[in-house]
Amino acid sequence: MEASVYAVKSKSGFGLQSRRLLPSIADLRKPSFAFGTGGVGMTKRNNCWGLSVVSSSMGTRGSVRGLFGLSAKARSVRVQASEGDVEEVAPAKIQVKSSGSVLPYVGVACLGAILFGYHLGVVNGALEYLAKDLGIAENTVLQGWIVSTLLAGATVGSFTGGSLADKFGRTKTFVLDAIPLAVGAFLCATAQSIEAMIIGRLLAGIGIGISSAIVPLYISEISPTEIRGTLGSVNQLFICIGILAALVAGLPLAGNPLWWRTMFGIAVIPSVLLALGMAFSPESPRWLYQQGRTSDAEVAIKRLFGKERVAEVMSDLDAASRGSSEPEAGWFDLFSSRYWKVVSVGAALFLFQQLAGINAVVYYSTAVFRSAGITSDVAASALVGAANVFGTTVASSLMDKQGRKSLLLTSFAGMAASMLLLSLGFTWKALAPYSGTLAVLGTVLYVLSFSLGAGPVPALLLPEIFASRIRAKAVALSLGMHWISNFVIGLYFLSIVNKFGISTVYLGFASVCLLAVMYIAGNVVETKGRSLEEIERALSPAT
């Protein structure tokens, strides 16, 4: 959805690498060094940085605008339609002051983002201790299954989340999603066998997979136009907070080896709060309108934006629906000539996000820092985390000013330069005296660049560019591509490094980042300052 702070799936926590599993810099340079022994646990890592919780549309300039200190000026935007033509979109309408507020409901949805990050990160610090407790300390394959089962469940959940949201509505899907999240956490906390632990991780994975689809979807459909980019970045920050919370939760482990059970059990609390909060949150007005429940849609609009905005927002929904009276799209409709171009953009952004090397950079961050004399794993994690939080904060302030596309271009260009620096630091003999410093600098700059655009923007952009009848399924499909690519990269990454060397792999990642820059320049449209209805009318061909 969704990343965001990154959690590495080994015996590590948020960039913390186990000394037993992580190779040293010297090892990486040895041609004979072998990664893994066939165990998934030696190869699988977790990326929550690739998922950003999203927000979008419906303008309001009341108290929300004052809180964030943002203003949205009416702009005329040229938008490229699906067929390649360019349309001039009318300037955004001047909004009346709103007496409603979406912030409490965005906050409730952000519990899903926190759980997303927490479940991704909690196993890393706890793995060594739970392995001893469950009697699998020497079985890296079973440890790998504990780690990787979460991704398998997330893949299933991401594909089903869109369908559930279309059928039952956004808020009811959140309530349903709380069940596997809470039950999975409880099973992990009370597991007395490896089977119970794996089932718990599978259920938690299904839960975060559904969250990765519906958190962006719900927030995009209730957020004011002028601050949807900011809200998207704020939700990215909540994923970071979830991972950091998992890191902090693991601090007592050294003094209390059984603390790992409490770490898993803590996740039950926000799961219950998510269900309770969503039971009292308004449904998406767009979904209600699509179901023909116009009176319920008006009630939801009144709660979100105030009674003075009801007529305006209903008018926007009417205008958007005039172009098409079609029912919800099926999965095969996503691959039709009508929608394939825009759907392929969403999938491509997540593929570039994963293929750009975020897994590799964070996986090797501790070894890189040790080469520069930073021996503390906590310090290394704190440095990477600080770079990500700082970049996310900057992106939050720029999202609605600079726009999504410009941030993506800047982000991938910075990532390419950072990867090149990392590659040269490993191989160029002239830089050998400074290799450790350059490696740390390259890692921090890469994470900072990633958090400026490649991390938060893809999931923010998707609900903006997808038409309403395909939005839920298209978001789910794109996020499913994220989980699948993450899983595949995790399985084969170490083998590729062993065969070609880390420097060559980093150089390959730099090339991917440059390809991403070219693809984004030619295919991604700018969406800042436009309502979802305006974007849909511009991007969707007439029916």
Side-chain angles (χ1 to χ4, degrees):
M1 237 203 176
E2 54 18 182
S4 49
V5 179
Y6 182 95
V8 180
K9 284 188 171 177
S10 63
K11 292 191 176 181
S12 61
F14 181 49
L16 290 158
Q17 310 300 330
S18 167
R19 297 175 184 268
R20 186 164 66 85
L21 291 183
L22 183 75
S24 66
I25 295 297
D27 287 333
L28 295 177
R29 295 193 173 102
K30 294 178 182 178
S32 61
F33 184 79
F35 289 86
T37 57
V40 181
M42 297 293 288
T43 62
K44 202 67 199 101
R45 289 157 314 284
N46 218 19
N47 181 6
C48 88
W49 291 29
L51 278 181
S52 319
V53 184
V54 140
S55 54
S56 244
S57 185
M58 290 191 187
T60 176
R61 290 186 184 239
S63 58
V64 176
R65 177 185 167 206
L67 174 64
F68 286 92
L70 295 173
S71 62
K73 299 177 182 178
R75 301 178 180 89
S76 178
V77 177
R78 290 171 64 80
V79 184
Q80 184 175 357
S82 298
E83 279 73 29
D85 56 309
V86 176
E87 303 183 13
E88 192 77 22
V89 180
K93 294 177 284 189
I94 300 299
Q95 312 286 352
V96 299
K97 184 176 181 180
S98 171
S99 62
S101 177
V102 301
L103 294 184
Y105 312 114
V106 170
V108 173
C110 283
L111 288 172
I114 292 174
L115 285 164
F116 180 98
Y118 190 85
H119 278 292
L120 284 171
V122 68
V123 73
N124 298 305
L127 184 61
E128 181 178 356
Y129 298 91
L130 72 86
K132 291 179 181 178
D133 198 12
L134 298 179
I136 57 169
E138 303 302 322
N139 193 330
T140 56
V141 174
L142 286 180
Q143 292 178 37
W145 277 108
I146 291 175
V147 172
S148 301
T149 302
L150 188 83
L151 274 185
T155 303
V156 175
S158 65
F159 280 111
T160 59
S163 297
L164 291 173
D166 279 342
K167 183 175 179 61
F168 299 109
R170 296 13 175 176
T171 55
K172 288 184 179 178
T173 303
F174 270 111
V175 175
L176 291 174
D177 184 37
I179 297 174
L181 286 171
V183 173
F186 178 79
L187 286 178
C188 290
T190 59
Q192 299 297 323
S193 66
I194 186 65
E195 293 81 7
M197 175 59 70
I198 289 177
I199 292 173
R201 291 288 286 171
L202 180 66
L203 289 174
I206 292 173
I208 68 169
I210 295 174
S211 293
S212 71
I214 62 173
V215 170
L217 184 65
Y218 179 70
I219 298 179
S220 72
E221 294 184 339
I222 69 169
S223 294
T225 299
E226 63 267 28
I227 61 170
R228 67 171 175 249
T230 298
L231 290 179
S233 298
V234 167
N235 282 279
Q236 171 82 3
L237 193 58
F238 274 102
I239 297 180
C240 299
I241 291 172
I243 290 288
L244 290 174
L247 175 63
V248 172
L251 293 178
L253 278 170
N256 182 6
L258 294 180
W259 179 256
W260 69 267
R261 294 187 180 275
T262 303
M263 292 172 62
F264 282 100
I266 289 173
V268 174
I269 298 173
S271 301
V272 174
L273 292 177
L274 176 65
L276 293 175
M278 277 298 164
F280 295 98
S281 296
E283 182 54 80
S284 162
R286 288 177 175 82
W287 182 81
L288 292 170
Y289 187 89
Q290 290 166 6
Q291 304 304 308
R293 297 165 55 181
T294 54
S295 60
D296 291 336
E298 291 175 352
V299 172
I301 294 168
K302 184 177 179 180
R303 291 181 64 185
L304 290 166
F305 307 105
K307 62 182 180 181
E308 65 278 358
R309 296 285 315 285
V310 173
E312 176 192 343
V313 177
M314 288 299 293
S315 176
D316 285 343
L317 294 174
D318 286 335
S321 67
R322 264 183 231 122
S324 174
S325 58
E326 300 169 284
E328 291 290 340
W331 285 103
F332 289 108
D333 291 327
L334 302 182
F335 304 97
S336 66
S337 58
R338 176 181 176 186
Y339 293 120
W340 170 242
K341 181 176 180 180
V342 70
V343 170
S344 66
V345 169
L349 286 178
F350 274 115
L351 285 174
F352 279 126
Q353 183 192 74
Q354 292 299 299
L355 294 175
I358 185 63
N359 288 349
V361 168
V362 180
Y363 184 81
Y364 288 111
S365 62
T366 301
V368 166
F369 293 150
R370 286 175 185 165
S371 72
I374 302 175
T375 57
S376 171
D377 289 349
V378 175
S381 296
L383 188 56
V384 173
N388 184 63
V389 172
F390 177 75
T392 302
T393 303
V394 173
S396 176
S397 64
L398 295 178
M399 198 71 70
D400 290 307
K401 297 178 182 178
Q402 299 300 318
R404 287 64 155 147
K405 184 174 181 178
S406 62
L407 286 179
L408 278 174
L409 292 172
T410 302
S411 176
F412 276 104
M415 290 159 64
S418 303
M419 277 294 184
L420 183 60
L421 185 62
L422 284 167
S423 179
L424 292 176
F426 275 103
T427 57
W428 203 357
K429 293 182 179 179
L431 297 176
Y434 315 102
S435 60
T437 301
L438 290 176
V440 172
L441 180 62
T443 298
V444 173
L445 287 177
Y446 179 91
V447 172
L448 182 62
S449 298
F450 181 88
S451 62
L452 282 174
V457 170
L460 168 63
L461 193 66
L462 300 192
E464 295 181 328
I465 65 176
F466 293 147
S468 58
R469 72 184 296 262
I470 68 166
R471 186 171 294 139
K473 291 184 175 65
V475 169
L477 176 66
S478 298
L479 292 172
M481 291 299 297
H482 162 85
W483 289 113
I484 291 173
S485 60
N486 192 5
F487 186 81
V488 172
I489 291 170
L491 285 177
Y492 295 105
F493 170 70
L494 293 180
S495 298
I496 294 174
V497 171
N498 186 42
K499 183 175 182 179
F500 298 103
I502 189 64
S503 177
T504 302
V505 173
Y506 278 167
L507 196 60
F509 287 144
S511 301
V512 171
C513 292
L514 292 177
L515 287 175
V517 170
M518 292 186 286
Y519 179 85
I520 291 164
N523 294 277
V524 175
V525 300
E526 185 53 73
T527 60
K528 67 172 181 178
R530 303 270 57 90
S531 72
L532 293 186
E533 286 72 30
E534 290 170 325
I535 297 168
E536 178 175 345
R537 290 195 295 272
L539 288 175
S540 298
T543 56

